[in-house]
């Protein structure tokens, strides 16, 4: 059974798409079958992997419940990497979805057998807490939250965690927060160090060890239609994303063990909390 991750944060420009595309590329390069599902009407992940914005079927058709994810998935370029592209139609989904009864679960239903077909599925969320992000959080097993090392990062994260609690309580109790990744860290600035310290003080277990530096190679990679790990494999940004992918695999292994243990122990509330750390 593969893992389905939502890459989410209600703020735009924090590195969600960059993180999704590069974790996906690293996992695909190591031989896993990987699917990235672009859920943002800006289509940034789609374009970053060299596809057009008007491809059909798209993630819109899956969200609306018209097409399965398997039908909408297509090869993304690098070996083992597949994408469900976004399309401009998606801009309407935030208005249409609330009109459809029970639509919170559409994406989960449309994923179906894709959960087994791909070792890793990454849902690249739009910058909002609207119905599309809720669909992703209902479809996912786990969440990764990219946070930009800048002023008010902690406030934004706390707001996101509140929403996550709500989704867990109402819609997807099994959803696990895997971790928070600090992105666009500019090590020359004091602010970046202060923000990192604050995040680690508040959430010592949650914040990934790996920090993604601000790096020009990362910023330019989408204009070449490539993940930075392919565009500039020797860059610092690339090295950081490879390290993050390794750390993620490590965390996933660890949480698998505790999920198995908690199943043995009839999923006691304490075991559940341990899994969520
Ligand atoms: N580590 C980084 N260094 C420099 N630029 C980055 C880095 N990560 C992301 N960017 C750039 O910042 C912008 C926002 O990143 P993106 O991943 O699209 O954020 P989001 O998906 O959260 O809106 C993009 O132009 C991207 O290329
Ligand atoms: Mg994005």
């Amino acid at each position: 059974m593969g893992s389905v991750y939502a890459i989410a944060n209600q703020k735009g420009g924090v590195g969600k798409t960059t993180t999704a595309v590069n974790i996906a590329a690293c996992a695909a390069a190591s031989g896993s079958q990987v699917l990235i599902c672009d859920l943002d009407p800006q289509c940034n992940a789609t374009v970053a992997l060299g596809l057009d914005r008007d491809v059909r079927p798209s993630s819109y058709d899956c969200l609306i419940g018209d097409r399965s994810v398997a039908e909408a998935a297509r090869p993304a370029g690098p070996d083992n990497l597949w994408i469900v592209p976004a399309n401009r139609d998606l801009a309407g989904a935030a208005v249409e979805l609330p009109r459809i009864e029970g639509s919170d679960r559409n994406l989960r239903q449309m994923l179906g057998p894709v959960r087994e077909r791909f070792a890793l599925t990454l849902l690249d969320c739009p910058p909002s807490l609207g119905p599309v992000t809720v669909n992703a959080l209902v479809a996912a097993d786990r969440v990764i939250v990219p946070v930009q090392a800048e002023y008010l990062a902690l406030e934004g994260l706390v707001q996101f965690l509140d929403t996550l609690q709500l989704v867990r309580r109402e819609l997807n109790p099994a959803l696990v927060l895997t971790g928070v990744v600090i992105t666009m860290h500019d090590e020359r600035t004091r602010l970046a160090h202060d923000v990192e310290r604050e995040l680690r003080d508040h959430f010592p277990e949650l914040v990934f060890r790996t920090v993604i530096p601000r790096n020009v190679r990362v910023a330019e990679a989408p204009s070449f239609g490539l993940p930075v790990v392919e565009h500039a494999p020797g860059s610092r940004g690339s090295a950081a994303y490879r390290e993050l992918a390794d750390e993620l695999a490590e965390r996933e292994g660890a949480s698998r063990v505790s999920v198995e243990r908690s199943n043995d122990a009839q999923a006691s509330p304490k075991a559940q909390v341990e899994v969520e750390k």
Side-chain angles (χ1 to χ4, degrees):
M1 183 90 165
S3 298
V4 180
Y5 284 88
I7 316 292
N9 184 328
Q10 75 278 12
K11 272 195 79 178
V14 297
K16 290 182 290 298
T17 299
T18 307
T19 299
V21 165
N22 285 291
I23 288 177
C26 290
S30 68
S32 300
Q33 288 284 308
V34 183
L35 175 67
I36 181 163
C37 194
D38 186 352
L39 298 177
D40 187 343
Q42 295 177 82
C43 313
N44 291 345
T46 302
V47 172
L49 288 169
L51 279 86
D52 289 335
R53 288 165 205 264
D54 48 15
V55 177
R56 290 203 174 92
S58 71
S59 59
Y60 169 80
D61 302 290
C62 304
L63 282 160
I64 248 31
D66 276 352
R67 294 291 191 111
S68 70
V69 169
E71 284 175 286
R74 59 185 66 221
D79 285 350
N80 307 322
L81 183 58
W82 292 65
I83 186 167
V84 174
N87 173 305
R88 293 188 186 93
D89 296 345
L90 192 51
V95 179
E96 291 168 55
L97 283 171
R99 296 193 193 134
I100 308 170
E101 174 86 24
S103 64
D104 289 342
R105 297 184 188 279
N106 280 5
L107 185 60
R108 187 172 190 96
Q109 276 161 5
M110 292 296 128
L111 270 176
V114 157
R115 292 193 114 82
E116 277 99 62
R117 155 86 173 74
F118 292 94
L120 184 64
T121 298
L122 298 168
L123 310 174
D124 181 27
C125 290
S128 84
L129 296 172
V132 174
T133 297
V134 169
N135 253 275
L137 295 176
V138 171
D141 312 311
R142 302 158 200 263
V143 190
I144 295 172
V145 191
V147 168
Q148 192 180 346
E150 59 153 32
Y151 183 58
L152 294 181
L154 184 65
E155 283 74 1
L157 176 59
V158 168
Q159 192 193 350
F160 180 80
L161 297 182
D162 287 346
T163 303
L164 203 60
Q165 274 308 105
L166 197 70
V167 171
R168 249 197 218 127
R169 203 166 57 226
E170 305 284 328
L171 295 161
N172 185 5
L175 187 62
V176 171
L177 175 54
T178 297
V180 169
V181 54
I182 299 173
T183 61
M184 288 179 251
H185 186 276
D186 187 344
E187 65 179 26
R188 295 162 306 178
T189 70
R190 187 162 156 202
L191 177 65
H193 289 282
D194 288 349
V195 170
E196 180 180 355
R197 192 175 326 109
E198 191 180 39
L199 288 167
R200 290 194 191 281
D201 283 351
H202 278 82
F203 302 104
E205 311 262 341
L206 270 184
V207 180
F208 283 100
R209 235 177 16 246
T210 310
V211 171
I212 309 298
R214 187 175 282 285
N215 179 253
V216 67
R217 297 290 185 207
V218 176
E220 74 188 14
S223 65
F224 292 86
L226 288 172
V228 70
V229 293
E230 295 220 343
H231 165 64
S235 64
R236 287 183 62 220
S238 219
Y241 271 116
R242 281 194 298 271
E243 205 179 306
L244 181 65
D246 289 346
E247 195 182 346
L248 181 63
E250 218 176 88
R251 272 194 192 201
E252 187 166 318
S255 73
R256 278 252 157 80
V257 171
S258 46
V259 168
E260 277 157 20
R261 275 203 204 114
S262 75
N263 286 343
D264 289 350
Q266 294 294 311
S268 70
K270 183 164 177 296
Q272 191 66 29
V273 170
E274 280 167 10
V275 173
E276 285 166 11
K277 267 192 208 158

